[in-house]
Amino acid sequence: MYTQALNTSDTDDRNIEDAARAGQFQARVDADERIEPNDWMPAAYRKTLTRQISQHAHSEIVGMLPEGNWITRAPTLRRKAALLAKVQDECGHGLYLYAAAETLGTSREELVDLMLAGKAKYSSIFNYPTLTWADIGAIGWLVDGAAIMNQIPLCRCSYGPYARAMIRVCKEESFHQRQGFEIMLTLSRGSEEQKAMAQSALDRWWWPVLMMFGPPDKASQHSDTSTKWKIKRFSNDELRQKFVDATVSQAQFLGLTIPDPGMKQDEAGHWVYSAIDWNEFNQVLAGNGPCNRDRLAARRKAHDEGAWVREAAQTFAEKRKQRLAAQAA
Ligand code: FAQ
């Protein structure tokens, strides 16, 4: 044993050690233990989590834009207050998520810079326009509904800071979903014109919402490793199906028609939907969706206009540090 140790190179030693640690790590994941920031983790686990959590954070931040567009035009004071609170919640979700990503070793500044440079993804759904007030109802009902379906399992994700952030996020998303459904209910029980507006919003958001769950399982490049590491508990297609099954009866209750005339229930009770246009999804991911350029331009403008706040906060922090050091001396 001793001789064997002397005969191995430093690299061999590191490889043996890493393989042992990877085995212990996987055993902890398999036992449903939480991985915490200071624990050893494979570099690829750190990388894929940073990727997913930062994309999620960017989605929350860019996701404020389509709804923010309607804050000044909300039809009543009550609607305006609820929308304002919802958009502020989304900003808060972005901040928790950036903080969770930072525990993996990449700063929020670096992550934001990547997004502003167009090098990081955010959810495809936020590249679609909000043309009428009914779109605010459809976003709450469908987009938040899809987000909850995806995020509830993330509350049990193997990485502690992400899982804990998701618990509060899901509670708030649940309120968001209800306010959206209530907007749709009011419109669908209103005048013919209002009902038509609700139907048009459902028609425009349905397919992009199904795309939110990501590519079909056979094309999902990260699913296998993320499932092995219990970052993902369900596949993209499984969550998409759960969402469709839950949403059909809600649409029926609203008296609205899902824009998929071929849809029917199978023997197990699942709603079988028609083929999704993955070409559209890929185009949106490539930056060619209806609003990709506007969204990035809006975020860059907000970032530039917020520079003085960041500078003031940094100057204040430095002055405070100096004052505390002087007091301690
Ligand atoms: N849009 O191998 P997979 C919200 C990318 S929050 C853009 O299947 P994975 C709240 C994917 O990143 C909505 N890109 O990837 C709200 C990867 O690219 P990469 C956001 C997408 O990670 C509501 C590539 O395709 N939620 O809505 C999309 O295993 C209302 C291959 O895909 C989350 O981020 C897409 N739809 O599964 C705010 C939840 N789908 O990184 C405002 C957390 C896939 O190799 C208003 N994320 N891609 O360059 C996840 O659960 C997962 O990351 C998935 C994708 C399921 C999104």
Side-chain angles (χ1 to χ4, degrees):
M1 185 66 194
Y2 187 56
T3 326
Q4 190 192 349
L6 284 180
N7 284 340
T8 56
S9 69
D10 284 354
T11 316
D12 287 342
D13 286 347
R14 268 197 302 276
N15 288 343
I16 293 165
E17 205 177 341
D18 279 357
R21 284 171 151 185
Q24 286 158 7
F25 172 85
Q26 189 61 48
R28 290 187 62 198
V29 169
D30 293 343
D32 276 330
E33 273 182 45
R34 284 276 154 80
I35 307 301
E36 297 298 338
N38 291 332
D39 295 345
W40 185 90
M41 60 186 85
Y45 178 84
R46 187 184 298 279
K47 191 172 166 198
T48 204
L49 266 176
T50 306
R51 174 192 69 79
Q52 175 167 328
I53 301 173
S54 64
Q55 285 178 6
H56 196 164
H58 303 326
S59 303
E60 297 281 358
I61 298 301
V62 178
M64 295 195 293
L65 296 170
E67 291 170 297
N69 184 32
W70 278 90
I71 290 173
T72 55
R73 292 178 287 162
T76 66
L77 185 60
R78 187 171 80 88
R79 294 289 189 212
K80 186 174 177 138
L83 184 58
L84 205 52
K86 180 181 194 287
V87 173
Q88 283 175 348
D89 284 351
E90 279 146 13
C91 184
H93 298 174
L95 298 183
Y96 311 148
L97 286 160
Y98 284 126
E102 282 191 312
T103 65
L104 291 157
T106 309
S107 73
R108 180 166 132 199
E109 287 74 18
E110 284 174 82
L111 298 170
V112 169
D113 285 349
L114 285 172
M115 189 256 284
L116 296 177
K119 292 183 186 160
K121 292 193 172 76
Y122 57 86
S123 183
S124 50
I125 194 70
F126 302 117
N127 291 306
Y128 290 84
T130 42
L131 304 180
T132 73
W133 172 250
D135 291 20
I136 301 306
I139 289 182
W141 173 36
L142 300 171
V143 176
D144 284 281
I148 294 169
M149 198 57 87
N150 169 277
Q151 287 168 188
I152 293 277
L154 289 174
C155 298
R156 292 188 294 125
C157 153
S158 57
Y159 189 57
Y162 192 25
R164 287 189 288 274
M166 278 302 109
I167 294 170
R168 174 153 177 191
V169 169
C170 283
K171 285 188 181 149
E172 291 176 352
E173 300 290 29
S174 163
F175 152 69
H176 298 169
Q177 198 269 353
R178 278 155 197 244
Q179 70 84 39
F181 188 79
E182 206 238 341
I183 291 174
M184 294 304 270
L185 192 61
T186 306
L187 292 174
S188 60
R189 295 195 175 160
S191 65
E192 278 309 307
E193 204 184 347
Q194 285 172 317
K195 190 168 178 186
M197 206 161 83
Q199 181 62 54
S200 157
L202 171 57
D203 292 346
R204 282 178 290 107
W205 288 91
W206 178 252
W207 293 107
V209 163
L210 295 194
M211 295 173 199
M212 273 180 79
F213 293 93
D217 290 353
K218 57 180 181 323
S220 166
Q221 73 225 42
H222 301 293
S223 275
D224 288 350
T225 40
S226 290
T227 305
K228 181 179 87 172
W229 284 328
K230 293 194 182 169
I231 297 169
K232 274 183 158 177
R233 299 265 177 176
F234 295 95
S235 76
N236 298 356
D237 286 333
E238 281 168 346
L239 288 175
R240 197 172 359 254
Q241 187 64 56
K242 273 174 182 270
F243 172 80
V244 172
D245 289 343
T247 310
V248 170
S249 58
Q250 295 169 6
Q252 286 167 345
F253 185 80
L254 291 172
L256 299 177
T257 309
I258 289 181
D260 184 359
M263 214 178 191
K264 48 181 177 303
Q265 249 174 326
D266 67 13
E267 281 175 7
H270 297 299
W271 285 94
V272 182
Y273 49 89
S274 304
I276 293 174
D277 181 357
W278 292 113
N279 183 44
E280 176 179 323
F281 175 75
N282 291 330
Q283 281 299 317
V284 175
L285 260 59
N288 302 321
C291 299
N292 292 58
R293 286 170 190 80
D294 290 350
R295 299 295 184 234
L296 272 187
R299 283 313 314 154
R300 286 180 189 136
K301 182 166 178 281
H303 192 74
D304 291 347
E305 288 175 356
W308 71 271
V309 180
R310 292 190 296 280
E311 280 163 24
Q314 206 161 1
T315 307
F316 174 75
E318 275 157 23
K319 278 188 181 164
R320 190 161 179 269
K321 203 167 138 195
Q322 281 167 12
R323 200 171 50 239
L324 290 174
Q327 279 168 5

